[in-house]
Amino acid sequence: MLILGIETSCDETGVALYDSAAGLLAQRLYSQVQMHRDYGGVVPELASRDHIRRVLPLLDETLAEAGRGREAIDAIAVTVGPGLAGALLVGAAIGHAIGYALGKPVVGVHHLEGHLLSPLLAQPAPRFPFVALLVSGGHTQMLRVGGLGDYALLGETVDDAAGEAFDKTAQLLGLGYPGGPAVSRLAEFGSAGAYALPRPMLHSGDLAFSFSGLKTAVLTAVRKIDSTCEQARADLARAFVDAVVDVLAAKALTALQQTGMTTLVVAGGVGANAQLRARLRADAQARGHEVFFPPLDLCTDNGAMIALAGWAKLQRGGASAGGAFAVRPRWPLEQA
Ligand code: KG4
Ligand code: ZN
């Protein structure tokens, strides 16, 4: 079965063709980062307008790379939430129009289900059940994944997401938007322990997270350092990354302990973070656990994960009927 995946929930336009037997055939991604950079964050209206320009050319390129025609598509999967309402509407409208034109079913996908299943696009793929640590720009959640469609929330952030904290720290350090990768690179040159930053909720005993206090602590520290001193900035970036990684790794271990599981899956943009990957790999090895990450290019938003999640949803009868559709900017994953 050949599934077309379309992702437009935020500032990346992703299109992919996933074959349920052969795997990912081709994918194309257009990032709007350059366009939003001047504003220091995503401008929703600009995002929507740009998605309109990108989807169909990306679709043509993806089909060409896969060597398939539009008529080969068996179903269309499109992100319908959570995300920016206007941006979601663009993808949903185009996806449904293609479905109508081709006479093929359309399935509305939950963006986080896409992230959650993205490690299944790598080899070796994790086996169910597993604990998933979902760390993106908008969400930080710990989930128990029993199987396709069986997702239970174990804990989540009470304020900012981990990716948001990375982006705000990047801004404070003058690294631009979005700054996760830049903070990570700068931290490589920093010395551990040069600054003491809080590890919010590290000992809360539950699987909740909080990152807004950490952001404020970075702000306070930034005001005290000589911003022209590259080493001081690197030391502060290092302190921030160490604090985030400490919390995420500790909570992941707690989740494995509490559920009695031995497999951890990490997904979402922050899952691309080198320091987090290294720490979780080391922790897992020390305890005999297994840890899985999506391929680096599938950590951040993309159409491939949406095609895969669409296929999973079709297996449980999730295609929408009659051509009517709606988007859900806010949508708990358990209801997907
Ligand atoms: O999953 P994603 O592409 O979009 C959302 O669904 O939110 O995640 C984007 C987030 C941004 O906050 C970005 O700064 C962060 O992931 N990110 C990283 C890295 N790559 C992306 N954070 C830390 N280290 C990275 N290497
Ligand atoms: Zn995402």
Side-chain angles (χ1 to χ4, degrees):
M1 183 179 206
L2 187 64
I3 320 254
L4 165 66
I6 301 174
E7 156 64 34
T8 65
S9 69
C10 189
D11 59 349
E12 255 126 13
T13 319
V15 173
L17 282 168
Y18 171 78
D19 184 310
S20 54
L24 182 62
L25 298 187
Q27 69 151 334
R28 281 286 187 277
L29 190 75
Y30 181 84
S31 172
Q32 304 176 348
V33 158
Q34 211 57 40
M35 185 178 75
H36 296 296
R37 189 159 277 158
D38 292 346
Y39 305 92
V42 179
V43 183
E45 181 61 23
L46 293 182
S48 310
R49 291 175 188 218
D50 203 57
H51 286 307
I52 295 174
R53 285 192 282 270
R54 308 290 170 192
V55 176
L56 292 178
L58 289 176
L59 171 59
D60 288 339
E61 287 175 32
T62 310
L63 285 165
E65 190 190 321
R68 305 289 175 95
R70 289 187 185 189
E71 67 290 343
I73 296 168
D74 295 308
I76 295 102
V78 61
T79 308
V80 292
L84 302 170
L88 291 166
L89 274 170
V90 171
I94 295 177
H96 279 268
I98 295 171
Y100 184 71
L102 297 177
K104 295 294 159 71
V106 181
V107 56
V109 170
H110 194 294
H111 181 78
L112 296 184
E113 184 174 9
H115 276 304
L116 201 62
L117 300 182
S118 60
L120 298 175
L121 290 164
Q123 287 298 333
R127 281 206 300 266
F128 299 113
F130 53 75
V131 165
L133 172 63
L134 220 158
V135 271
S136 71
H139 295 83
T140 299
Q141 300 189 335
M142 198 74 76
L143 297 134
R144 182 196 180 285
V145 180
L148 294 177
D150 175 8
Y151 315 123
L153 183 66
L154 302 173
E156 66 182 329
T157 182
V158 297
D159 42 53
D160 292 354
E164 215 173 332
F166 264 97
D167 293 338
K168 285 179 179 161
T169 296
Q171 219 168 11
L172 291 170
L173 290 170
L175 295 172
Y177 170 85
V183 171
S184 174
R185 279 194 299 273
L186 184 58
E188 295 285 344
F189 300 100
S191 314
Y195 295 96
L197 293 180
R199 269 93 176 125
M201 302 190 81
L202 184 61
H203 301 295
S204 61
D206 58 15
L207 297 169
F209 303 87
S210 164
F211 292 105
S212 78
L214 181 56
K215 172 190 69 190
T216 310
V218 172
L219 173 65
T220 310
V222 160
R223 285 186 177 144
K224 289 186 190 147
I225 66 170
D226 171 5
S227 61
T228 61
C229 174
E230 194 62 16
Q231 191 58 47
R233 292 168 71 243
D235 289 347
L236 188 50
R238 172 71 186 264
F240 167 78
V241 171
D242 285 349
V244 174
V245 168
D246 274 358
V247 173
L248 294 177
K251 298 266 176 180
L253 285 180
T254 306
L256 289 167
Q257 251 161 19
Q258 287 184 2
T259 56
M261 290 186 189
T262 56
T263 305
L264 175 69
V265 161
V266 185
V270 182
N273 181 264
Q275 291 93 345
L276 179 65
R277 285 182 172 230
R279 167 73 73 80
L280 291 176
R281 282 207 174 100
D283 283 0
Q285 201 171 19
R287 289 168 179 80
H289 295 154
E290 280 192 298
V291 59
F292 294 85
F293 302 91
L296 273 182
D297 62 332
L298 297 182
C299 277
T300 43
D301 294 348
N302 62 84
M305 67 183 194
I306 301 306
L308 174 66
W311 172 78
K313 197 162 178 186
L314 279 169
Q315 303 311 296
R316 46 184 207 270
S320 65
F325 67 91
V327 295
R328 300 186 66 176
R330 291 174 183 278
W331 185 13
L333 178 57
E334 304 90 294
Q335 293 170 13

